[in-house]
Amino acid sequence: MYELFKGLGAWLVSGEQWAGPDGIGQRLAEHLQYSLLATLVAAAIALPIGLLIGHTGRGAFLAINLSSFGRALPTVGLVVLVFLVSGLSMWPVYIALVALAVPSVVTNTYAGMTAVDPEVRDAARGQGMRWHQVLLQVELPLALPLIMTGLRLALIQVVATATIAAYVSFGGLGRYVFDGLAQRDLVQVLGGAVLVAVVAVVLDLALSALQRVLFRNRPTEQVQEQAR
């Protein structure tokens, strides 16, 4: 075990390991590209759904059950299925990652919208606001903390799962895991797993800090009072 971790340390700090098209820097950039793009697409799909359901109160049962179904989908199985249909491309990976990210965003967006005080909505309507004004100027600002939590959870899940890109011969940090398994190189496998974990933890801490900075001077009670 000592030799394994010693080899891991040497592998991580090696200059050769960080340079070149197969280096850690390049693989990290690929991994972040897959993860961020998939999360952005998932947000573009899930946010309008969550906002609409939360605002109207309609379709909540269907959306929550679809979200639960999305969480239960085997990611690798979905990659293989899309791969068989579309052939060798990044489409299977992106579809699987988007399907993984959508449930968290829909669920947290809906939860944030339903947590808005009904009296605040009524007060906004009483002031003559139209439905889209109530949604964008009252409900959305109040729901934003939970929405951001959903986006953060989705991104971390996607980062942890984006290793599947290597399963269909593409890049990312998963390349070290799959190549290491094929070569029976435990140091490389452990190195890839450690790098993915570090990236996920760093992103989680960074986004949590961003949430605290954005909302520390805007307590819920103050926003609700302004809406009234």
Side-chain angles (χ1 to χ4, degrees):
M1 185 64 71
Y2 170 76
E3 292 297 327
L4 178 61
F5 283 100
K6 181 180 178 181
L8 173 63
W11 186 86
L12 288 172
V13 300
S14 171
E16 295 180 358
Q17 194 60 51
W18 284 85
D22 296 325
I24 293 175
Q26 176 64 25
R27 296 304 185 198
L28 176 60
E30 293 169 348
H31 201 93
L32 291 175
Q33 176 189 331
Y34 303 155
S35 302
L36 293 174
L37 182 56
T39 305
L40 286 174
V41 173
I45 295 170
L47 280 174
I49 295 173
L51 290 172
L52 184 62
I53 293 172
H55 178 74
T56 62
R58 298 173 182 174
F61 178 79
L62 178 61
I64 298 303
N65 279 277
L66 285 176
S67 295
S68 300
F69 175 73
R71 287 194 180 98
L73 279 175
T75 307
V76 174
L78 184 58
V79 169
V80 173
L81 178 62
V82 180
F83 173 75
L84 293 174
V85 175
S86 66
L88 183 61
S89 69
M90 275 299 295
W91 280 107
V93 176
Y94 281 125
I95 289 174
L97 294 178
V98 168
L100 177 69
V102 163
S104 293
V105 181
V106 170
T107 303
N108 279 269
T109 302
Y110 171 71
M113 294 290 287
T114 56
V116 176
D117 189 343
E119 293 184 2
V120 175
R121 292 193 185 95
D122 293 340
R125 294 189 184 104
Q127 292 177 358
M129 284 188 173
R130 297 180 179 274
W131 71 269
H132 62 277
Q133 292 176 313
V134 174
L135 173 62
L136 297 177
Q137 298 179 26
V138 178
E139 293 175 316
L140 180 58
L142 293 173
L144 199 55
L146 273 177
I147 293 174
M148 287 195 64
T149 298
L151 291 171
R152 176 168 60 89
L153 293 174
L155 178 60
I156 301 310
Q157 288 177 324
V158 168
V159 167
T161 313
T163 52
I164 60 172
Y167 186 78
V168 286
S169 302
F170 286 93
L173 297 174
R175 189 80 270 154
Y176 299 122
V177 176
F178 285 93
D179 288 350
L181 289 173
Q183 301 165 12
R184 297 189 177 183
D185 185 349
L186 292 181
V187 170
Q188 188 176 180
V189 173
L190 184 58
V194 167
L195 287 171
V196 172
V198 168
V199 171
V201 170
V202 169
L203 285 175
D204 189 32
L205 292 175
L207 292 175
S208 296
L210 178 61
Q211 278 187 266
R212 288 194 294 271
V213 170
L214 290 176
F215 301 116
R216 65 182 178 183
N217 296 324
R218 207 193 68 176
T220 302
E221 294 80 4
Q222 178 181 345
V223 179
Q224 289 179 340
E225 185 63 33
Q226 290 174 353
R228 289 192 178 97

